[in-house]
Amino acid sequence: MSVMHIHKDNFQEEVMNADRPVLLDFWASWCGPCQMLGPVIDQIADEQDEVKICKVNVDEQLELASQFGVMSIPTLVVMKEGKITNKSVGAKPKEQILAMLLV
């Protein structure tokens, strides 16, 4: 499954009303660690059908970044049934990201 780009207009439908857990990757194009994490996020999206993988560009979606209290990027947020179940700041190896999804 491919990575979905989230913005304020599709957030409610794609994240809050999702029928499976959602991993949100808050990132920016100028962020070095975000660029390193990007291929890992893409790989997880290709391998994990039971999780919806989404990216939020903080420069374009300031309102969503603020709503989630994003102060540093990359920030990863796992949501299940519209609630935050896990949150992490900084680039992480694939195994740690996958472990976040199990909580």
Side-chain angles (χ1 to χ4, degrees):
M1 180 173 279
S2 64
V3 173
M4 173 167 285
H5 293 272
I6 298 298
H7 46 80
K8 65 180 181 178
D9 296 330
N10 70 354
F11 175 78
Q12 183 69 35
E13 179 182 342
E14 299 296 342
V15 177
M16 298 303 287
N17 298 336
D19 60 352
R20 59 187 171 219
V22 177
L23 174 66
L24 292 168
D25 172 20
F26 289 87
W27 71 286
S29 60
W30 48 263
C31 167
C34 299
Q35 298 305 319
M36 291 178 3
L37 190 60
V40 175
I41 297 296
D42 291 340
Q43 186 178 33
I44 292 171
D46 289 340
E47 296 172 355
Q48 302 291 322
D49 289 334
E50 66 277 1
V51 179
K52 185 181 277 191
I53 308 297
C54 302
K55 293 179 83 66
V56 180
N57 185 323
V58 297
D59 289 334
E60 297 171 359
Q61 301 301 320
L62 293 172
E63 190 175 309
L64 285 176
S66 177
Q67 180 179 332
F68 281 87
V70 174
M71 302 296 273
S72 297
I73 52 174
T75 293
L76 300 175
V77 176
V78 178
M79 297 191 67
K80 295 179 182 174
E81 298 176 358
K83 294 180 176 52
I84 296 172
T85 59
N86 212 333
K87 187 173 181 178
S88 173
V89 177
K92 302 278 186 261
K94 181 180 174 183
E95 295 75 28
Q96 286 184 12
I97 297 169
L98 292 173
M100 287 177 62
L101 299 171
L102 299 176
V103 174

